[in-house]
Structures are given as structure tokens and as C-alpha cells.
Amino acid sequence: MKLTETVRKMVIDSDIGTRAVAAKVDKKHHVLLNELNFENTSHKLGAELLAPLMKACGSDSPMHLLAAEMGGLFIKIPEESCSNASLVKAVKEFGELIAVYGEAIERGELKDEGKQLIRKEGQEAMTAIQELLCGLDVNDSLKPHN
């Protein structure tokens, strides 16, 4: 998937809706949609809009795409206020990774689409594990109470 397609999907799938995303990045709704339309040659999405769009949508999916295209991996550094839910999230994300990988193995083939899904699930699992590890240092509720 291309970057513009990924950003377009992120905006369209956003929990707040395309109009709210446009407002948050100070763009007219129709202008933003035109910029995200890869078939429209008169409007182009500017690179400086990428970070504000990701923040508005609450998604870092374009970063995962860019990292994968460069042979790397994007791992978001979590905020210091990690919750106890980090362990549950890490286990859940790892379980989803193993499920997707297991399904591909059962089919006996691993096409590009399957590899992309496995990479996506793997990145989400690694991010959740990183959040868990960071949370260990700042979360006093994990310490035994006397």
C-alpha cells in the first residue's frame, strides 16, 4: 500500500470522522479529501501535514508503512504513565501476532499480503511489550503493598 492510500484509510477510518480530522488540521473538508485522493493530480498531500493528521486520528499507521519500506520497524515510545493494562495489551497483541502467523502456516503459503499483516501485528505486539517494560519503572501499583 502506498503512503497516500495509508493516510487516506487512516483519516476515513478515524473514530472522529473526516470532518473533525479536517478541522483539527485546519483544512477544509473537501480540500483534505482531494489531497488524499491519489487520482487527483491537482491536489497533493504535503509531508508537513502527516504528523498533525496522525495526531488527529490517533494513529501511527503511516509510520509503520514508512519504517517497513525502509527495512525498519517503528516502535512508539510510550508515555511515562503506563497502566497495568499494558500487560494485558501485550499478551493480546502477541496472541494476535501468533494467530495471524499460524493461519498463514496452516495455508502453507505466505504471500505479500500475509507478510504485511504479520509485520503489522508484530509491530503492534512489540509496541505493547515496550509499553509494558516502560510501565515497570513508573508504575508503583505493581509493587507489593505492606
Side-chain angles (χ1 to χ4, degrees):
M1 186 178 287
K2 294 183 180 180
L3 181 60
T4 305
E5 293 172 36
T6 300
V7 175
R8 178 180 174 84
K9 182 173 176 11
M10 174 186 73
V11 170
I12 290 172
D13 293 347
S14 153
D15 291 340
I16 63 172
T18 58
R19 289 190 189 281
V21 171
K24 282 189 171 207
V25 298
D26 201 29
K27 286 272 186 182
K28 291 184 178 179
H29 183 248
H30 71 279
V31 172
L32 179 60
L33 293 182
N34 281 332
E35 289 178 354
L36 294 172
N37 182 352
F38 51 90
E39 294 177 353
N40 187 331
T41 58
S42 63
H43 292 79
K44 295 292 179 189
L45 181 68
E48 67 280 350
L49 196 57
L50 186 57
L53 281 172
M54 290 188 300
K55 288 176 184 175
C57 294
S59 173
D60 52 21
S61 60
M63 294 302 298
H64 291 284
L65 175 76
L66 291 171
E69 285 186 7
M70 297 304 296
L73 179 66
F74 175 73
I75 298 177
K76 186 175 180 179
I77 303 297
E79 297 176 14
E80 287 187 22
S81 59
C82 295
S83 69
N84 287 341
S86 295
L87 176 59
V88 174
K89 182 178 177 185
V91 171
K92 176 184 173 282
E93 295 294 348
F94 187 75
E96 289 175 6
L97 166 64
I98 296 305
V100 167
Y101 185 74
E103 289 171 9
I105 297 301
E106 284 178 9
R107 286 191 307 270
E109 58 183 81
L110 199 54
K111 296 183 179 180
D112 287 343
E113 186 177 303
K115 289 178 185 178
Q116 286 177 340
L117 185 56
I118 290 169
R119 283 189 185 98
K120 175 188 170 291
E121 293 297 338
Q123 289 169 346
E124 290 173 0
M126 288 176 48
T127 300
I129 291 166
Q130 185 62 38
E131 288 174 0
L132 168 68
L133 295 176
C134 288
L136 291 175
D137 295 332
V138 297
N139 195 338
D140 290 334
S141 65
L142 291 177
K143 295 178 182 173
H145 294 83
N146 293 338

